[in-house]
Amino acid sequence: MRRFEGKCVVVAGGNKGIGLAIAERFASEGANIVIGAIEADLSPAEQAVAGYGTGVVTQRCDVTSADDVRALFEAAEAFGGFDIAVQNAGVITIAKGEDLTEREWDLNLAVNTKGAFLCCQEAIRRLRAHGKPGRVVNTGSGQARDGFIFTPHYAASKFGVIGMTQSLAKEVATEAITVNAICPGIIHTDMWDY
């Protein structure tokens, strides 16, 4: 029996890069997968994950929208709900500090921090309502510990993810819900190529 047989994993930002790799790995271990991403065409990710022989559902999701996030988690009802939520949606822009626009700052904080929070909030709300244990995993970054040049906004957004993760973990610790973060370093993805 595979380790996650019969479980369901929601992966926000699961259509490419680290998120797709996470979705594929869980699928290879038997989990049904719900992939959420802002792109309209999620069929390439759906096909990649379906190749592991488990169920897969895709849902267009802008993680900065509470309504979209609710719809993403609602899609997991196709599998009787979810067991694990992975908040991986993220963006980055690069600029010298003095050239960084307010729009770039706001975008990074909205997607990377607020988006992760909205997903955590919905995941915890649903786990509590069903009275079931669950796992909530946030994608931070190496920059959550050591910011790089030209990305103070991205570093701030990922520092925020770590603080939020620590706070929520303490809040739900006695409810059989764990909240953790991973902090990948440099991984060759489209985001890194940018």
Side-chain angles (χ1 to χ4, degrees):
M1 182 168 172
R2 297 181 289 180
R3 289 189 305 161
F4 294 99
E5 202 78 45
K7 302 289 185 184
C8 175
V9 181
V10 174
V11 185
N15 65 318
K16 58 187 172 185
I18 293 171
L20 181 56
I22 289 169
E24 287 183 294
R25 180 56 190 260
F26 273 114
S28 77
E29 293 279 356
N32 296 310
I33 307 296
V34 177
I35 295 173
I38 197 165
E39 286 80 8
D41 182 12
L42 299 177
S43 58
E46 183 176 9
Q47 291 167 5
V49 173
Y52 292 94
T54 60
V56 59
V57 171
T58 60
Q59 176 71 39
R60 189 190 175 285
C61 179
D62 174 352
V63 294
T64 68
S65 163
D67 288 341
D68 277 16
V69 169
R70 270 191 294 281
L72 173 63
F73 281 87
E74 190 63 34
E77 293 304 318
F79 304 113
F82 73 98
D83 303 279
I84 302 164
V86 180
Q87 289 56 247
N88 183 73
V91 296
I92 191 170
T93 57
I94 298 170
K96 290 182 179 179
E98 68 268 25
D99 297 330
L100 183 63
T101 67
E102 187 174 356
R103 183 189 171 284
E104 288 174 306
W105 178 273
D106 290 346
L107 175 66
N108 276 257
L109 272 287
V111 174
N112 299 347
T113 314
K114 176 186 172 184
F117 172 73
L118 290 176
C119 289
C120 286
Q121 183 180 51
E122 188 65 22
I124 291 168
R125 179 182 291 128
R126 287 174 179 267
L127 291 169
R128 281 177 164 163
H130 292 9
K132 66 186 274 190
R135 306 292 175 250
V136 178
V137 181
N138 299 321
T139 300
S141 167
Q143 288 206 53
R145 297 180 304 226
D146 184 21
F148 294 176
I149 63 170
F150 308 136
T151 55
H153 52 318
Y154 180 80
S157 73
K158 292 301 187 174
F159 268 88
V161 168
I162 298 306
M164 175 191 66
T165 299
Q166 292 171 345
S167 179
L168 291 174
K170 292 171 184 168
E171 180 180 333
V172 300
T174 62
E175 301 174 59
I177 301 169
T178 62
V179 184
N180 289 288
I182 58 172
C183 290
I186 296 169
I187 295 177
H188 191 191
T189 64
D190 291 343
M191 187 180 280
W192 177 252
D193 286 343
Y194 163 78

